[in-house]
Every structure is written in structure tokens, then in C-alpha cells.
Amino acid sequence: MKAIAIQPGAGQPHWVDRTQPTITAANQVLLRVLRVGICGTDREEILGGRSKAPDGQKELVIGHEMLGRVEKVGDQVTRAKPGDLAVFTVRRVCGECLPCAMNRPDMCLTGKYQERGIWGMDGYQTEYVVDQEQYLVRLAPELADIGVLAEPMSVAEKAIDEAGRIQAGRLPQASAAPDWWFGRPCLVAGLGPIGLLAALALRVRGAAVYGLDIVPEASARPQWLLAIGGQYINGQEIPPDKIASLRRSMDVIIEAAGIASLSFNLLDALGANGVMVLTGLPDGDRPIELNGAALVRGLVLGNQAIAGSVNAARDHFQLGVDDMLSAELRWPGHVAKLITHRYAAQDFATGFSQHPDDEIKAVIEWAR
Ligand code: BGC
């Protein structure tokens, strides 16, 4: 079968031929790939960034944001049946640490995990994939159009979950409140797909969501945010250190821009007892200058917490697809507007090389 692969460190994606996978164990599921999203990580891999081919192979099949249809299941599989829509998660367990033993490879301690399409294991830009049921999430048929967003949504869900758990563990009012997110001022920094999906998950919870970016308010991404009841902050007009005085100080910040200097500047917008979760991976090694003493003082005197968050557990995918279904009911058809570009598999080169200004999410279509 056909697959799109790169040679890590060396450039352009190209076709490779792979043996079609089959079910070889009772806990496995075979999916027909329907479509696969393209994200910043794929484009970085192509530019020679972080990626690793499977052991003994020169090439890596890319792609980690997928939607598929179940073709066949092993005898022990109970979560899905042929015909169901489903996605596989990204990270695979190391087999050595406790989090991995609990199906939380997103919290792997050894660093010996694998990531499909990124790190040591072929990804999803191909026709069929097989994996274990523990990495499978079934989707309602209503999510056929937008299910391919389940992976970026899961990354947003994990960041929000971490913020909530950190606060519930330390703030008396947070652990007691049944509806803690409702009305809570939350800033999402960077309105790419992860940022917009984080804004969506927060709006589903009723939070007061502010989105920060540097594009004109009339452009597509801020307008998408406004339509779900979020508010836009144009960073060209209101820098991070003015957000608290001109708008509000934030209880929670979800960072999804991947710009190190911005991440630290955002602390100026964080209120007392606030938490900031970082999800963006800055590239390069440019040093930044910081007033370290003032920064630490602010953190200590303000009881503030900063956490990094990568990847996501199966449960975060489940939360994500549940929230997408709620969003579909509340803002019908709106989430689908995030998928701005669709390329047939044979046109993949255009999809990967172009990054038009109006692109939010581009996907490669493998089957209907
Ligand atoms: C993916 C994550 C992955 C991370 C680091 C992101 O693009 O969404 O699943 O863990 O890259 O490789």
C-alpha cells in the first residue's frame, strides 16, 4: 500500500510502498485511514527537525492526526466494531515505567516511548493502520467531518485538565466548586489549531475566554473565536504586560504559540494563584533576556504555577471527542470551519509545502 514518508533529517516527503498491515493479535484493530491532518510538527520534521525512523528502517511514514474507519477487530476487542469511526492516539508505551504501565505514555518517565509518525514508529499518512485497542477511541458518526481534529483537541484537553488538577490540588475554592471553570477568566495565547481548540474546550465549560494573537481582528481565526463567545486581544495593540490592566488578569493561561519570550511575558497577565500551562515547542536556540529576580518574585508572591504539557492520554482524546460533540450541538458546523484546506493524497506535496495565510488546518484525504 501507499504511504507518505520522509528520511529523518533529510527533506521532502515522498511515496513509499509498505506492506498492508493485518491483525496478528486478539487485542488489535485494523483501521482504513480516512484523512490525516498536517501540523507544525510534520512541517518541522520535513525541514529536518525532530523525528526518528523505526529501528532498522531509513524512512519514517509521517502523520499523527488521524481519523479512520474500523475494518476489522481482534477477538478480544470490545471498544469498537467494523464500520465505526475511530482514531488512534500518538504515543506508545516504553514498557518499563509506571505511567506507561497505566496507559499514560504521555507521562513516560524513561523517554523510551515511541510516537507514531514522529519518533521511532510509522505514522498514519497511509491507507491502513493496525494498533492495539488501548490506543483506540471510538467516535460518534456525527463527528465524521471533524474527527480528524481529535488529536490536536486531545493536546488542548490535556493542558486544560492539568490546569484544573493543579488548581484543584491547591486552591480551597477550586476543589470545592462543582463548576469551577464557569465564568473563569482564561487566556489562550496563540490562535493556531491547538489554541482555537483549547478556546473551544474552555467555552464548552463556560469559561470567559480571551484569545491572544497578532493578526487583525477581522481575520478568520479571531472571528472563529468571537463566534463561540470568546474575546480577541490583538497583541500588536495590547502587549502581555498591559493585558491585566486593559482587560483582566487571568486565572488560567494556556500557551499555544511556542515562542519562549512570549511565554515568560505572559506571566504579567496571570493573576494571583494563577496557573499557566505551556504546550508550544519553540524551535531554535536563541537566548532570551529575562529579569529573573522579578520573575521569581512574581511567582512566589503570587502563588503562581507553571507547567509544561506534551502529548495526551487516551482519556484526553475521549474528553476531546465528547467536547467536540457538545460544540457541534451548540455551534452547529462551526468546528468544521477550522479545516480550511483539503488535499487528495496524490497532491500531498502541495499540502506539505504550501502554508497559505488563510490555512488553519490542512488535511490529506485518503478515503471517503
Ligand atoms: C504532537 C504530540 C507529540 C509532540 C512531540 C505534537 O505535534 O501532537 O502528540 O507528543 O508533537 O513529538
Side-chain angles (χ1 to χ4, degrees):
M1 67 177 184
K2 283 171 152 182
I4 304 168
I6 58 162
Q7 196 172 314
Q12 286 314 303
H14 50 268
W15 286 122
V16 290
D17 200 34
R18 285 279 191 275
T19 318
Q20 192 167 314
T22 52
I23 290 189
T24 54
N27 63 357
Q28 288 178 340
V29 178
L30 169 69
L31 295 187
R32 172 76 168 110
V33 177
L34 298 180
R35 57 188 68 92
V36 181
I38 298 178
C39 92
T41 300
D42 299 301
R43 289 193 167 116
E44 266 170 54
E45 289 178 41
I46 290 168
L47 292 173
R50 188 175 164 276
S51 68
K52 190 167 108 181
D55 284 346
Q57 249 176 237
K58 267 206 335 230
E59 281 152 327
L60 169 77
V61 175
I62 55 177
H64 59 278
E65 300 182 358
M66 65 100 63
L67 175 69
R69 191 184 312 106
V70 178
E71 286 276 313
K72 212 171 165 204
V73 299
D75 292 344
Q76 281 168 15
V77 171
T78 58
R79 278 185 198 278
K81 56 179 191 318
D84 286 346
L85 289 177
V87 302
F88 282 134
T89 62
V90 179
R91 209 178 258 199
R92 297 296 169 264
V93 300
C94 74
E96 294 178 20
C97 72
L98 199 57
C100 282
M102 301 173 84
N103 202 20
R104 288 297 305 270
D106 61 308
M107 299 304 264
C108 177
L109 283 169
T110 64
K112 296 181 193 167
Y113 59 81
Q114 295 173 312
E115 286 182 339
R116 293 204 66 158
I118 305 173
W119 201 248
M121 202 173 173
D122 277 341
Y124 303 129
Q125 291 284 13
T126 186
E127 296 172 63
Y128 293 91
V129 285
V130 163
D131 218 316
Q132 294 172 38
E133 182 181 25
Q134 80 185 84
Y135 304 120
L136 184 96
V137 178
R138 194 174 65 92
L139 272 65
E142 288 84 351
L143 294 179
D145 269 2
I146 56 175
V148 69
L149 298 171
E151 197 278 338
M153 186 71 175
S154 74
V155 170
E157 293 284 2
K158 176 174 172 181
I160 294 167
D161 180 40
E162 300 238 313
R165 284 173 190 268
I166 290 168
Q167 298 307 71
R170 68 194 195 120
L171 303 181
Q173 72 278 26
S175 52
D179 203 7
W180 186 75
W181 289 100
F182 194 83
R184 192 151 301 277
C186 299
L187 179 72
V188 176
L191 297 182
I194 305 259
L196 289 172
L197 290 168
L200 185 76
L202 289 165
R203 285 295 302 134
V204 166
R205 287 158 180 73
V209 177
Y210 297 79
L212 173 71
D213 210 299
I214 52 169
V215 293
E217 176 156 335
S219 56
R221 293 178 290 119
Q223 287 299 312
W224 190 93
L225 173 73
L226 296 183
I228 56 168
Q231 299 191 48
Y232 182 56
I233 299 176
N234 187 340
Q236 308 267 28
E237 290 156 15
I238 304 183
D241 63 339
K242 294 278 174 342
I243 291 176
S245 56
L246 295 178
R247 291 293 177 92
R248 249 173 127 162
S249 80
M250 304 291 164
D251 286 358
V252 175
I253 299 180
I254 305 292
E255 182 281 334
I259 303 167
S261 54
L262 173 68
S263 303
F264 289 107
N265 289 336
L266 285 171
L267 286 170
D268 289 330
L270 192 64
N273 298 355
V275 60
M276 172 161 80
V277 181
L278 309 172
T279 72
L281 278 175
D283 57 6
D285 290 309
R286 267 160 299 151
I288 52 172
E289 223 170 82
L290 289 171
N291 183 341
L295 189 140
V296 173
R297 229 174 8 246
L299 287 173
V300 173
L301 291 173
N303 278 312
Q304 293 170 327
I306 308 180
S309 174
V310 68
N311 196 256
R314 213 198 74 87
D315 285 1
H316 298 123
F317 277 76
Q318 187 66 58
L319 270 176
V321 298
D322 291 349
D323 280 351
M324 286 201 286
L325 207 50
S326 303
E328 246 341 87
L329 293 173
R330 193 149 159 207
W331 304 286
H334 191 61
V335 178
K337 292 181 193 152
L338 293 175
I339 305 173
T340 51
H341 292 73
R342 294 172 186 273
Y343 299 93
Q346 67 266 22
D347 300 328
F348 74 83
T350 321
F352 282 104
S353 61
Q354 294 189 355
H355 195 180
D357 279 348
D358 60 345
E359 179 188 300
I360 303 178
K361 174 59 69 186
V363 301
I364 304 275
E365 300 279 354
W366 283 93
R368 298 208 61 83

PDB file of all heavy atoms in Angstrom, residues 39-42 45 50 64-65 89-91 106 113 115-116 118-119 151-152 154-155 194 279 281 309-312 317, ligand 1:
ATOM      1  N   CYS A  39       0.343  19.113  10.628  1.00  0.00           N
ATOM      2  CA  CYS A  39       0.543  20.105  11.677  1.00  0.00           C
ATOM      3  C   CYS A  39       1.967  20.629  11.652  1.00  0.00           C
ATOM      4  O   CYS A  39       2.805  20.188  10.867  1.00  0.00           O
ATOM      5  CB  CYS A  39       0.151  19.573  13.047  1.00  0.00           C
ATOM      6  SG  CYS A  39       1.475  18.812  13.980  1.00  0.00           S
ATOM      7  N   GLY A  40       2.238  21.598  12.527  1.00  0.00           N
ATOM      8  CA  GLY A  40       3.557  22.218  12.593  1.00  0.00           C
ATOM      9  C   GLY A  40       4.658  21.187  12.803  1.00  0.00           C
ATOM     10  O   GLY A  40       5.752  21.305  12.235  1.00  0.00           O
ATOM     11  N   THR A  41       4.359  20.156  13.593  1.00  0.00           N
ATOM     12  CA  THR A  41       5.363  19.114  13.848  1.00  0.00           C
ATOM     13  C   THR A  41       5.749  18.402  12.550  1.00  0.00           C
ATOM     14  O   THR A  41       6.928  18.153  12.298  1.00  0.00           O
ATOM     15  CB  THR A  41       4.826  18.114  14.889  1.00  0.00           C
ATOM     16  OG1 THR A  41       4.561  18.836  16.091  1.00  0.00           O
ATOM     17  CG2 THR A  41       5.815  17.003  15.178  1.00  0.00           C
ATOM     18  N   ASP A  42       4.756  18.087  11.692  1.00  0.00           N
ATOM     19  CA  ASP A  42       5.071  17.446  10.402  1.00  0.00           C
ATOM     20  C   ASP A  42       5.976  18.352   9.573  1.00  0.00           C
ATOM     21  O   ASP A  42       6.953  17.895   8.974  1.00  0.00           O
ATOM     22  CB  ASP A  42       3.787  17.205   9.588  1.00  0.00           C
ATOM     23  CG  ASP A  42       2.809  16.282  10.288  1.00  0.00           C
ATOM     24  OD1 ASP A  42       3.192  15.148  10.583  1.00  0.00           O
ATOM     25  OD2 ASP A  42       1.673  16.703  10.556  1.00  0.00           O
ATOM     26  N   GLU A  45       9.441  18.327  10.892  1.00  0.00           N
ATOM     27  CA  GLU A  45      10.117  17.066  10.549  1.00  0.00           C
ATOM     28  C   GLU A  45      10.663  17.149   9.130  1.00  0.00           C
ATOM     29  O   GLU A  45      11.789  16.730   8.853  1.00  0.00           O
ATOM     30  CB  GLU A  45       9.135  15.881  10.638  1.00  0.00           C
ATOM     31  CG  GLU A  45       8.719  15.517  12.047  1.00  0.00           C
ATOM     32  CD  GLU A  45       7.712  14.362  12.057  1.00  0.00           C
ATOM     33  OE1 GLU A  45       7.878  13.405  11.281  1.00  0.00           O
ATOM     34  OE2 GLU A  45       6.753  14.420  12.840  1.00  0.00           O
ATOM     35  N   ARG A  50      13.105  17.486  14.681  1.00  0.00           N
ATOM     36  CA  ARG A  50      12.987  16.289  15.491  1.00  0.00           C
ATOM     37  C   ARG A  50      12.113  15.201  14.841  1.00  0.00           C
ATOM     38  O   ARG A  50      10.919  15.385  14.636  1.00  0.00           O
ATOM     39  CB  ARG A  50      12.357  16.736  16.825  1.00  0.00           C
ATOM     40  CG  ARG A  50      12.304  15.702  17.891  1.00  0.00           C
ATOM     41  CD  ARG A  50      11.776  16.323  19.186  1.00  0.00           C
ATOM     42  NE  ARG A  50      11.367  15.252  20.074  1.00  0.00           N
ATOM     43  CZ  ARG A  50      10.186  14.662  20.008  1.00  0.00           C
ATOM     44  NH1 ARG A  50       9.273  15.072  19.146  1.00  0.00           N
ATOM     45  NH2 ARG A  50       9.901  13.658  20.827  1.00  0.00           N
ATOM     46  N   HIS A  64       0.353  12.152  12.339  1.00  0.00           N
ATOM     47  CA  HIS A  64      -0.085  11.643  13.647  1.00  0.00           C
ATOM     48  C   HIS A  64      -1.493  12.100  14.027  1.00  0.00           C
ATOM     49  O   HIS A  64      -1.996  11.744  15.068  1.00  0.00           O
ATOM     50  CB  HIS A  64       0.925  12.032  14.740  1.00  0.00           C
ATOM     51  CG  HIS A  64       1.117  13.512  14.874  1.00  0.00           C
ATOM     52  ND1 HIS A  64       1.959  14.235  14.060  1.00  0.00           N
ATOM     53  CD2 HIS A  64       0.566  14.398  15.716  1.00  0.00           C
ATOM     54  CE1 HIS A  64       1.921  15.496  14.396  1.00  0.00           C
ATOM     55  NE2 HIS A  64       1.073  15.637  15.392  1.00  0.00           N
ATOM     56  N   GLU A  65      -2.127  12.899  13.149  1.00  0.00           N
ATOM     57  CA  GLU A  65      -3.502  13.362  13.436  1.00  0.00           C
ATOM     58  C   GLU A  65      -4.440  12.631  12.496  1.00  0.00           C
ATOM     59  O   GLU A  65      -4.570  13.013  11.347  1.00  0.00           O
ATOM     60  CB  GLU A  65      -3.615  14.863  13.157  1.00  0.00           C
ATOM     61  CG  GLU A  65      -2.685  15.718  13.972  1.00  0.00           C
ATOM     62  CD  GLU A  65      -2.868  17.201  13.682  1.00  0.00           C
ATOM     63  OE1 GLU A  65      -3.683  17.576  12.816  1.00  0.00           O
ATOM     64  OE2 GLU A  65      -2.185  18.002  14.324  1.00  0.00           O
ATOM     65  N   THR A  89      -4.429   7.021  19.161  1.00  0.00           N
ATOM     66  CA  THR A  89      -3.611   8.043  19.816  1.00  0.00           C
ATOM     67  C   THR A  89      -2.212   8.027  19.188  1.00  0.00           C
ATOM     68  O   THR A  89      -1.949   7.259  18.260  1.00  0.00           O
ATOM     69  CB  THR A  89      -3.516   7.765  21.328  1.00  0.00           C
ATOM     70  OG1 THR A  89      -2.868   6.491  21.500  1.00  0.00           O
ATOM     71  CG2 THR A  89      -4.887   7.724  21.975  1.00  0.00           C
ATOM     72  N   VAL A  90      -1.307   8.841  19.718  1.00  0.00           N
ATOM     73  CA  VAL A  90       0.004   9.032  19.076  1.00  0.00           C
ATOM     74  C   VAL A  90       1.124   8.249  19.775  1.00  0.00           C
ATOM     75  O   VAL A  90       1.915   7.567  19.141  1.00  0.00           O
ATOM     76  CB  VAL A  90       0.373  10.538  19.068  1.00  0.00           C
ATOM     77  CG1 VAL A  90       1.742  10.756  18.428  1.00  0.00           C
ATOM     78  CG2 VAL A  90      -0.694  11.339  18.339  1.00  0.00           C
ATOM     79  N   ARG A  91       1.172   8.326  21.095  1.00  0.00           N
ATOM     80  CA  ARG A  91       2.350   7.800  21.804  1.00  0.00           C
ATOM     81  C   ARG A  91       2.164   6.346  22.232  1.00  0.00           C
ATOM     82  O   ARG A  91       1.050   5.938  22.566  1.00  0.00           O
ATOM     83  CB  ARG A  91       2.647   8.677  23.028  1.00  0.00           C
ATOM     84  CG  ARG A  91       4.118   8.677  23.365  1.00  0.00           C
ATOM     85  CD  ARG A  91       4.395   9.579  24.529  1.00  0.00           C
ATOM     86  NE  ARG A  91       4.951  10.857  24.112  1.00  0.00           N
ATOM     87  CZ  ARG A  91       5.605  11.665  24.920  1.00  0.00           C
ATOM     88  NH1 ARG A  91       5.783  11.344  26.190  1.00  0.00           N
ATOM     89  NH2 ARG A  91       6.077  12.808  24.486  1.00  0.00           N
ATOM     90  N   ASP A 106       1.956   9.402  27.709  1.00  0.00           N
ATOM     91  CA  ASP A 106       2.163  10.858  27.616  1.00  0.00           C
ATOM     92  C   ASP A 106       2.960  11.357  28.821  1.00  0.00           C
ATOM     93  O   ASP A 106       3.505  12.450  28.788  1.00  0.00           O
ATOM     94  CB  ASP A 106       0.823  11.602  27.506  1.00  0.00           C
ATOM     95  CG  ASP A 106      -0.077  11.387  28.713  1.00  0.00           C
ATOM     96  OD1 ASP A 106      -0.327  10.214  29.088  1.00  0.00           O
ATOM     97  OD2 ASP A 106      -0.524  12.386  29.302  1.00  0.00           O
ATOM     98  N   TYR A 113       9.591   6.034  25.021  1.00  0.00           N
ATOM     99  CA  TYR A 113       8.315   5.904  24.305  1.00  0.00           C
ATOM    100  C   TYR A 113       8.560   6.039  22.804  1.00  0.00           C
ATOM    101  O   TYR A 113       9.630   6.478  22.362  1.00  0.00           O
ATOM    102  CB  TYR A 113       7.352   7.011  24.765  1.00  0.00           C
ATOM    103  CG  TYR A 113       7.902   8.405  24.511  1.00  0.00           C
ATOM    104  CD1 TYR A 113       7.822   8.993  23.257  1.00  0.00           C
ATOM    105  CD2 TYR A 113       8.524   9.125  25.535  1.00  0.00           C
ATOM    106  CE1 TYR A 113       8.346  10.249  23.016  1.00  0.00           C
ATOM    107  CE2 TYR A 113       9.053  10.383  25.299  1.00  0.00           C
ATOM    108  CZ  TYR A 113       8.959  10.940  24.029  1.00  0.00           C
ATOM    109  OH  TYR A 113       9.495  12.180  23.790  1.00  0.00           O
ATOM    110  N   GLU A 115       6.447   7.562  19.192  1.00  0.00           N
ATOM    111  CA  GLU A 115       5.299   8.350  18.745  1.00  0.00           C
ATOM    112  C   GLU A 115       5.057   8.057  17.274  1.00  0.00           C
ATOM    113  O   GLU A 115       5.957   8.209  16.455  1.00  0.00           O
ATOM    114  CB  GLU A 115       5.556   9.853  18.932  1.00  0.00           C
ATOM    115  CG  GLU A 115       5.468  10.282  20.378  1.00  0.00           C
ATOM    116  CD  GLU A 115       5.681  11.778  20.594  1.00  0.00           C
ATOM    117  OE1 GLU A 115       6.269  12.434  19.723  1.00  0.00           O
ATOM    118  OE2 GLU A 115       5.254  12.268  21.646  1.00  0.00           O
ATOM    119  N   ARG A 116       3.831   7.646  16.972  1.00  0.00           N
ATOM    120  CA  ARG A 116       3.542   7.291  15.568  1.00  0.00           C
ATOM    121  C   ARG A 116       3.661   8.535  14.680  1.00  0.00           C
ATOM    122  O   ARG A 116       3.091   9.571  14.959  1.00  0.00           O
ATOM    123  CB  ARG A 116       2.152   6.661  15.460  1.00  0.00           C
ATOM    124  CG  ARG A 116       2.103   5.292  16.171  1.00  0.00           C
ATOM    125  CD  ARG A 116       1.030   4.397  15.638  1.00  0.00           C
ATOM    126  NE  ARG A 116       1.292   4.013  14.266  1.00  0.00           N
ATOM    127  CZ  ARG A 116       0.769   2.936  13.678  1.00  0.00           C
ATOM    128  NH1 ARG A 116      -0.039   2.133  14.348  1.00  0.00           N
ATOM    129  NH2 ARG A 116       1.040   2.657  12.420  1.00  0.00           N
ATOM    130  N   ILE A 118       6.260  10.327  14.309  1.00  0.00           N
ATOM    131  CA  ILE A 118       7.212  11.328  14.807  1.00  0.00           C
ATOM    132  C   ILE A 118       8.494  10.654  15.294  1.00  0.00           C
ATOM    133  O   ILE A 118       9.597  10.975  14.844  1.00  0.00           O
ATOM    134  CB  ILE A 118       6.599  12.162  15.965  1.00  0.00           C
ATOM    135  CG1 ILE A 118       5.275  12.804  15.534  1.00  0.00           C
ATOM    136  CG2 ILE A 118       7.593  13.247  16.428  1.00  0.00           C
ATOM    137  CD1 ILE A 118       4.516  13.505  16.655  1.00  0.00           C
ATOM    138  N   TRP A 119       8.338   9.688  16.170  1.00  0.00           N
ATOM    139  CA  TRP A 119       9.507   9.202  16.912  1.00  0.00           C
ATOM    140  C   TRP A 119       9.544   7.672  16.956  1.00  0.00           C
ATOM    141  O   TRP A 119       8.885   7.054  17.791  1.00  0.00           O
ATOM    142  CB  TRP A 119       9.475   9.786  18.331  1.00  0.00           C
ATOM    143  CG  TRP A 119      10.803   9.799  19.008  1.00  0.00           C
ATOM    144  CD1 TRP A 119      11.170   9.038  20.090  1.00  0.00           C
ATOM    145  CD2 TRP A 119      11.935  10.582  18.660  1.00  0.00           C
ATOM    146  NE1 TRP A 119      12.469   9.318  20.421  1.00  0.00           N
ATOM    147  CE2 TRP A 119      12.969  10.257  19.571  1.00  0.00           C
ATOM    148  CE3 TRP A 119      12.197  11.535  17.659  1.00  0.00           C
ATOM    149  CZ2 TRP A 119      14.245  10.850  19.501  1.00  0.00           C
ATOM    150  CZ3 TRP A 119      13.444  12.120  17.596  1.00  0.00           C
ATOM    151  CH2 TRP A 119      14.445  11.776  18.520  1.00  0.00           C
ATOM    152  N   GLU A 151      -6.890  14.640  17.586  1.00  0.00           N
ATOM    153  CA  GLU A 151      -5.541  14.666  18.184  1.00  0.00           C
ATOM    154  C   GLU A 151      -5.159  16.058  18.673  1.00  0.00           C
ATOM    155  O   GLU A 151      -4.820  16.218  19.849  1.00  0.00           O
ATOM    156  CB  GLU A 151      -4.501  14.084  17.214  1.00  0.00           C
ATOM    157  CG  GLU A 151      -3.194  13.700  17.898  1.00  0.00           C
ATOM    158  CD  GLU A 151      -2.213  14.840  18.143  1.00  0.00           C
ATOM    159  OE1 GLU A 151      -2.299  15.872  17.453  1.00  0.00           O
ATOM    160  OE2 GLU A 151      -1.348  14.728  19.031  1.00  0.00           O
ATOM    161  N   PRO A 152      -5.207  17.109  17.826  1.00  0.00           N
ATOM    162  CA  PRO A 152      -4.895  18.433  18.385  1.00  0.00           C
ATOM    163  C   PRO A 152      -5.834  18.793  19.543  1.00  0.00           C
ATOM    164  O   PRO A 152      -5.413  19.440  20.516  1.00  0.00           O
ATOM    165  CB  PRO A 152      -5.043  19.395  17.197  1.00  0.00           C
ATOM    166  CG  PRO A 152      -5.675  18.611  16.090  1.00  0.00           C
ATOM    167  CD  PRO A 152      -5.409  17.166  16.360  1.00  0.00           C
ATOM    168  N   SER A 154      -6.976  16.725  21.712  1.00  0.00           N
ATOM    169  CA  SER A 154      -6.521  15.993  22.900  1.00  0.00           C
ATOM    170  C   SER A 154      -5.362  16.729  23.584  1.00  0.00           C
ATOM    171  O   SER A 154      -5.243  16.713  24.813  1.00  0.00           O
ATOM    172  CB  SER A 154      -6.092  14.566  22.535  1.00  0.00           C
ATOM    173  OG  SER A 154      -4.837  14.551  21.865  1.00  0.00           O
ATOM    174  N   VAL A 155      -4.523  17.369  22.790  1.00  0.00           N
ATOM    175  CA  VAL A 155      -3.395  18.132  23.350  1.00  0.00           C
ATOM    176  C   VAL A 155      -3.934  19.320  24.156  1.00  0.00           C
ATOM    177  O   VAL A 155      -3.468  19.616  25.265  1.00  0.00           O
ATOM    178  CB  VAL A 155      -2.452  18.591  22.211  1.00  0.00           C
ATOM    179  CG1 VAL A 155      -1.419  19.587  22.704  1.00  0.00           C
ATOM    180  CG2 VAL A 155      -1.769  17.374  21.567  1.00  0.00           C
ATOM    181  N   ILE A 194      -4.336  24.365  17.902  1.00  0.00           N
ATOM    182  CA  ILE A 194      -4.371  23.952  19.319  1.00  0.00           C
ATOM    183  C   ILE A 194      -4.998  25.056  20.172  1.00  0.00           C
ATOM    184  O   ILE A 194      -5.836  24.798  21.035  1.00  0.00           O
ATOM    185  CB  ILE A 194      -2.948  23.644  19.849  1.00  0.00           C
ATOM    186  CG1 ILE A 194      -2.266  22.609  18.958  1.00  0.00           C
ATOM    187  CG2 ILE A 194      -2.972  23.257  21.333  1.00  0.00           C
ATOM    188  CD1 ILE A 194      -2.234  21.216  19.434  1.00  0.00           C
ATOM    189  N   THR A 279       2.159  24.603  26.022  1.00  0.00           N
ATOM    190  CA  THR A 279       2.051  23.471  25.101  1.00  0.00           C
ATOM    191  C   THR A 279       2.918  23.641  23.847  1.00  0.00           C
ATOM    192  O   THR A 279       3.174  22.681  23.138  1.00  0.00           O
ATOM    193  CB  THR A 279       0.599  23.234  24.613  1.00  0.00           C
ATOM    194  OG1 THR A 279       0.232  24.274  23.714  1.00  0.00           O
ATOM    195  CG2 THR A 279      -0.382  23.187  25.761  1.00  0.00           C
ATOM    196  N   LEU A 281       6.097  24.186  21.378  1.00  0.00           N
ATOM    197  CA  LEU A 281       7.522  23.818  21.395  1.00  0.00           C
ATOM    198  C   LEU A 281       8.302  24.845  20.586  1.00  0.00           C
ATOM    199  O   LEU A 281       8.260  24.820  19.362  1.00  0.00           O
ATOM    200  CB  LEU A 281       7.723  22.439  20.745  1.00  0.00           C
ATOM    201  CG  LEU A 281       7.467  21.211  21.602  1.00  0.00           C
ATOM    202  CD1 LEU A 281       7.594  19.948  20.762  1.00  0.00           C
ATOM    203  CD2 LEU A 281       8.438  21.169  22.771  1.00  0.00           C
ATOM    204  N   SER A 309       3.199  20.781  29.156  1.00  0.00           N
ATOM    205  CA  SER A 309       2.312  19.650  28.858  1.00  0.00           C
ATOM    206  C   SER A 309       2.556  19.189  27.428  1.00  0.00           C
ATOM    207  O   SER A 309       2.522  19.991  26.498  1.00  0.00           O
ATOM    208  CB  SER A 309       0.856  20.099  29.043  1.00  0.00           C
ATOM    209  OG  SER A 309      -0.035  19.094  28.630  1.00  0.00           O
ATOM    210  N   VAL A 310       2.800  17.900  27.249  1.00  0.00           N
ATOM    211  CA  VAL A 310       3.033  17.358  25.908  1.00  0.00           C
ATOM    212  C   VAL A 310       2.162  16.133  25.682  1.00  0.00           C
ATOM    213  O   VAL A 310       1.835  15.407  26.637  1.00  0.00           O
ATOM    214  CB  VAL A 310       4.527  16.994  25.698  1.00  0.00           C
ATOM    215  CG1 VAL A 310       4.953  15.808  26.550  1.00  0.00           C
ATOM    216  CG2 VAL A 310       4.838  16.698  24.220  1.00  0.00           C
ATOM    217  N   ASN A 311       1.766  15.941  24.405  1.00  0.00           N
ATOM    218  CA  ASN A 311       1.050  14.734  24.050  1.00  0.00           C
ATOM    219  C   ASN A 311      -0.253  14.633  24.857  1.00  0.00           C
ATOM    220  O   ASN A 311      -0.697  15.620  25.449  1.00  0.00           O
ATOM    221  CB  ASN A 311       1.997  13.533  24.252  1.00  0.00           C
ATOM    222  CG  ASN A 311       1.540  12.280  23.576  1.00  0.00           C
ATOM    223  OD1 ASN A 311       1.049  11.368  24.220  1.00  0.00           O
ATOM    224  ND2 ASN A 311       1.692  12.219  22.285  1.00  0.00           N
ATOM    225  N   ALA A 312      -0.889  13.470  24.883  1.00  0.00           N
ATOM    226  CA  ALA A 312      -2.151  13.334  25.601  1.00  0.00           C
ATOM    227  C   ALA A 312      -2.455  11.870  25.822  1.00  0.00           C
ATOM    228  O   ALA A 312      -2.045  11.007  25.045  1.00  0.00           O
ATOM    229  CB  ALA A 312      -3.284  13.963  24.793  1.00  0.00           C
ATOM    230  N   PHE A 317      -8.221  12.202  24.654  1.00  0.00           N
ATOM    231  CA  PHE A 317      -8.876  12.066  23.348  1.00  0.00           C
ATOM    232  C   PHE A 317     -10.386  11.907  23.563  1.00  0.00           C
ATOM    233  O   PHE A 317     -11.200  12.492  22.852  1.00  0.00           O
ATOM    234  CB  PHE A 317      -8.347  10.837  22.588  1.00  0.00           C
ATOM    235  CG  PHE A 317      -7.055  11.074  21.843  1.00  0.00           C
ATOM    236  CD1 PHE A 317      -5.853  11.144  22.520  1.00  0.00           C
ATOM    237  CD2 PHE A 317      -7.041  11.212  20.461  1.00  0.00           C
ATOM    238  CE1 PHE A 317      -4.654  11.339  21.837  1.00  0.00           C
ATOM    239  CE2 PHE A 317      -5.860  11.410  19.775  1.00  0.00           C
ATOM    240  CZ  PHE A 317      -4.661  11.473  20.459  1.00  0.00           C
TER     241      PHE A 317
HETATM  242  C1  BGC B   1       2.015  16.000  18.876  1.00  0.00           C
HETATM  243  C2  BGC B   1       2.212  15.268  20.179  1.00  0.00           C
HETATM  244  C3  BGC B   1       3.670  14.903  20.346  1.00  0.00           C
HETATM  245  C4  BGC B   1       4.525  16.138  20.212  1.00  0.00           C
HETATM  246  C5  BGC B   1       6.004  15.879  20.390  1.00  0.00           C
HETATM  247  C6  BGC B   1       2.978  17.149  18.754  1.00  0.00           C
HETATM  248  O1  BGC B   1       2.828  17.730  17.488  1.00  0.00           O
HETATM  249  O2  BGC B   1       0.702  16.498  18.793  1.00  0.00           O
HETATM  250  O3  BGC B   1       1.415  14.126  20.201  1.00  0.00           O
HETATM  251  O4  BGC B   1       3.859  14.309  21.607  1.00  0.00           O
HETATM  252  O5  BGC B   1       4.292  16.722  18.942  1.00  0.00           O
HETATM  253  O6  BGC B   1       6.526  14.965  19.482  1.00  0.00           O
END
